[in-house]
Amino acid sequence: MGAAVQGSDRNVVTVGVFDGVHRGHQSVVRRAVEIARERGLPAVAATFEPHPEEVVRPGARPARLTGIRRKVELLTGEGIDEVQVVEFTAALARKTPDDFAQSVLAERLRAAVVVVGEDFAFGRDASGDTDILRTLGDKYDFQVEVVPRVDAVSAASVREHVVAGDVEAAAAQLGRPHRVEGVVVRGYQRGRELGFPTANVETPPHTAIPADGVYAGWLQCVPMANLPVLYEGCRWPAAISIGTNPTFEDVPRTVEAYALDRDDLELYGVHVAVELVARLRGNTRFDSIDALIAQIQADVEATRRITG
């Protein structure tokens, strides 16, 4: 994935899961791009699919901050010329650090320079560290540059903030609002009946979805082959509801976004992104429909103020 730079058989390489492409990842990637430009070499990011935790600890599925399409988009947005998706298998997990350095870094990725964060670990049981990587670089003819860690920033920390509904803290670590993506599907259409038609977003399994509540943010269409021309480049401020809607019974957990002042959107089947800027409140059961509508109106006005 990505557009490779021609005319060289060596690359400046950075390696990792890169889930979220948070500020720590960004510092590593930007340094790799900087070195690549200085040397006139392609900057290549290698990322693993599936998440190594799923293979090393079967049944462990960390909630995903970014799907592969979004991850590639973010990495190339930082200047990466090519993203290589490395299938993470049990066989790869069993490789010694030496085997990994030879087969993946030297042979597959043709690394002239490997740029990693100071907490980078690789090989069987994560037994390789940056000191071992430098030694193996001498053996397999690549240089190693280690980028200092960005304090208190990690994918695990971002996930914790998201799960808690603290999307502002998550955004501080990501360097942008957390977002979830999915296809708009038909729901119960209760929002339409109340005067606030929502896009009901069906997210992929294991997506990192914030805690139940109401949020201010944005709804935008993701460029895809099936995107209607009239929605190309569209992005609307949105009041977002996550949860089961306790005022109504037997409602599954959903992500719904109301694009402010828009009751004319027909987004069924469209791939969209929901960006979460601020949490307005938790979910509440209302005693009447009128009380619910009044609260939604207040949420809409709060969203309008926050999104400017």
Side-chain angles (χ1 to χ4, degrees):
M1 296 184 180
V5 173
Q6 303 299 317
S8 171
D9 63 353
R10 302 292 296 279
N11 302 305
V12 176
V13 172
T14 183
V15 184
V17 178
F18 298 118
D19 190 25
V21 193
H22 55 60
R23 290 194 301 111
H25 296 143
Q26 291 164 29
S27 67
V28 174
V29 169
R30 289 169 185 169
R31 181 57 183 146
V33 170
E34 183 179 34
I35 294 171
R37 300 296 180 261
E38 290 170 354
R39 299 191 177 205
L41 298 175
V44 174
T47 185
F48 300 109
E49 287 288 329
H51 194 293
E53 287 288 326
E54 295 182 33
V55 176
V56 175
R57 298 177 179 82
R61 289 180 176 271
R64 299 196 62 152
L65 300 168
T66 45
I68 186 62
R69 186 206 62 81
R70 176 64 170 161
K71 190 189 299 186
V72 170
E73 178 181 77
L74 291 169
L75 289 169
T76 55
E78 293 291 343
I80 288 293
D81 299 303
E82 180 183 359
V83 178
Q84 288 207 23
V85 180
V86 177
E87 183 182 7
F88 197 90
T89 63
L92 182 59
R94 288 193 296 268
K95 283 184 180 293
T96 65
D98 192 298
D99 289 340
F100 183 89
Q102 180 182 19
S103 63
V104 177
L105 299 177
E107 295 177 359
R108 172 170 176 166
L109 300 174
R110 306 189 310 280
V113 184
V114 176
V115 183
V116 294
E118 64 181 25
D119 55 355
F120 179 70
F122 66 107
R124 182 187 304 151
D125 300 324
S127 56
D129 60 15
T130 54
D131 288 336
I132 292 173
L133 183 63
R134 286 191 175 98
T135 299
L136 293 170
D138 292 338
K139 181 177 180 179
Y140 293 113
D141 190 30
F142 58 79
Q143 296 177 344
V144 174
E145 176 147 345
V146 178
V147 178
R149 176 184 170 89
V150 176
D151 289 343
V153 176
S154 69
S157 179
V158 175
R159 289 187 197 102
E160 289 176 1
H161 290 311
V162 169
V163 168
D166 192 349
V167 295
E168 291 170 283
Q173 295 201 4
L174 290 168
R176 63 183 183 279
H178 175 61
R179 71 190 248 179
V180 298
E181 295 188 13
V183 175
V184 178
V185 298
R186 290 189 181 276
Y188 291 94
Q189 298 191 316
R190 289 198 177 102
R192 186 175 297 275
E193 294 169 0
L194 297 174
F196 304 93
T198 60
N200 189 356
V201 183
E202 185 175 71
T203 58
H206 315 299
T207 295
I209 298 175
D212 289 1
V214 177
Y215 297 81
W218 298 86
L219 172 66
Q220 68 182 71
C221 296
V222 175
M224 292 284 185
N226 66 337
L227 180 63
V229 173
L230 75 160
Y231 294 139
E232 289 181 358
C234 287
R235 186 170 185 260
W236 306 280
I240 302 146
S241 175
I242 297 175
T244 59
N245 196 335
T247 300
F248 301 99
E249 297 180 355
D250 301 323
V251 178
R253 191 165 192 255
T254 59
V255 177
E256 298 179 76
Y258 166 61
L260 269 55
D261 307 320
R262 298 300 299 262
D263 60 5
D264 59 336
L265 302 178
E266 293 293 340
L267 297 174
Y268 297 123
V270 173
H271 191 108
V272 299
V274 176
E275 292 188 351
L276 299 122
V277 175
R279 190 169 192 254
L280 301 179
R281 61 179 176 87
N283 281 349
T284 305
R285 181 181 179 86
F286 294 91
D287 295 330
S288 69
I289 298 300
D290 287 344
L292 173 60
I293 291 174
Q295 182 59 64
I296 294 174
Q297 289 172 331
D299 296 336
V300 166
E301 291 311 310
T303 297
R304 199 184 308 279
R305 290 192 298 271
I306 289 169
T307 57

